[in-house]
Amino acid sequence: MEPLGPATPMREVTSEAELVELLGSPAPYAAQKARTSLHAVDREWLAHSPLCLIATSGSDGTCDVSPKGDPPGFVRVLDDRTVAIPERPGNKRLDGFRNVLVNPHVGLIHLLPGRGDTLRINGRARIVREAPFLDGMTVRGHRPAVALVVEIEEIFHHCSKAFLRSCAWDPGTWRPDALPGRARISKALERPDEPLEVLEEHYGPSYAERLYEG
C-alpha cells in the first residue's frame, strides 16, 4: 500500500453531532455501565492481570501510553476507589511520570492474556515515593522506588470486539519473525554506532534475567 501524501483529500468530522450521526449512540447499558468504585469482580480481575497500559497527557496536550507488567496482581487495591501500580527499572525516559506531574488525569487498561474483554479505569494519579504498601510490591528483591497511585473516577469493563477482530490472542496468526528483531531495530534507529553482535548479546537470553536490575 502506497503512503498517502499531505495533499490527499480528506473530509474531517468536526462536531459531536456529526460523529453521532455517523456512528450512532450507545445502548443504555453501555452508556450507563461506568462506576466510580471497585466491585468484587474488578478486584478479582486485577488480582489475575499481569499487564496494564497507562495513558497520560502533558500540559501541552501531547500524549503517552506506557505498558506496565509484573506477576499477576501487581496492581494493588488500596481501597474501593484507589489502586497503586509499582514502577520497575526501565529506560528512565519517565514520559508518563513527567505528564502526571503537570496533568494528573490517567487512563488504564488492564489485560488478561487470552481474554478479549478488558478492565478500564480513568482517574487522577500521583507519584508516591514512600508508603507502607511499597514493601509488599518487592519482586526478585526489587522494591519500587515509586508507585503510581490512582484515585478512580470511572471504571468499567470493555467488550472483546477489538481483540476478536485482530485475533491478537490466536497463536495461529502470530508472526514474530515478520520484522527485524529488537537488536536490529535498535541498531537501525537508536544505537547505530554499536556493533550488532553487542546489541544481540544485550537483548539475548540474559535480558530477561536483568528485568529487575536498575
Side-chain angles (χ1 to χ4, degrees), residues 41-166:
V41 174
D42 308 324
R43 288 172 173 264
E44 188 173 3
W45 188 283
L46 293 173
H48 288 83
S49 174
L51 182 62
C52 172
L53 306 179
I54 304 178
T56 61
S57 178
S59 59
D60 60 353
T62 55
C63 297
D64 180 76
V65 177
S66 178
K68 304 293 180 183
D70 244 342
F74 75 102
V75 176
R76 294 298 182 93
V77 174
L78 302 184
D79 59 46
D80 285 345
R81 297 195 63 177
T82 316
V83 298
I85 305 168
E87 175 64 5
R88 301 299 180 190
N91 58 20
K92 298 181 173 61
R93 284 179 54 95
L94 310 179
D95 298 300
F97 284 145
R98 295 180 197 276
N99 286 344
V100 167
L101 288 174
V102 296
N103 179 3
H105 297 283
V106 300
L108 315 177
I109 296 182
H110 303 272
L111 301 119
L112 284 179
R115 288 282 296 257
D117 47 334
T118 57
L119 176 64
R120 293 172 58 171
I121 293 176
N122 298 316
R124 296 174 67 90
R126 50 200 166 104
I127 305 166
V128 174
R129 63 178 294 175
E130 200 56 62
F133 57 80
L134 287 174
D135 288 339
M137 292 177 161
T138 300
V139 175
R140 295 193 199 176
H142 181 270
R143 179 185 185 274
V146 299
L148 194 70
V149 174
V150 179
E151 297 175 9
I152 298 169
E153 296 180 329
E154 184 179 47
I155 180 171
F156 57 95
H157 287 259
H158 197 97
C159 74
S160 60
K161 289 180 180 177
F163 282 87
L164 291 173
R165 290 173 180 140
S166 66

Side-chain angles (χ1 to χ4, degrees), residues 11-25:
R11 181 179 175 187
E12 296 184 19
V13 174
T14 57
S15 71
E16 183 176 349
E18 185 181 5
L19 191 63
V20 172
E21 180 185 358
L22 289 168
L23 302 181
S25 300

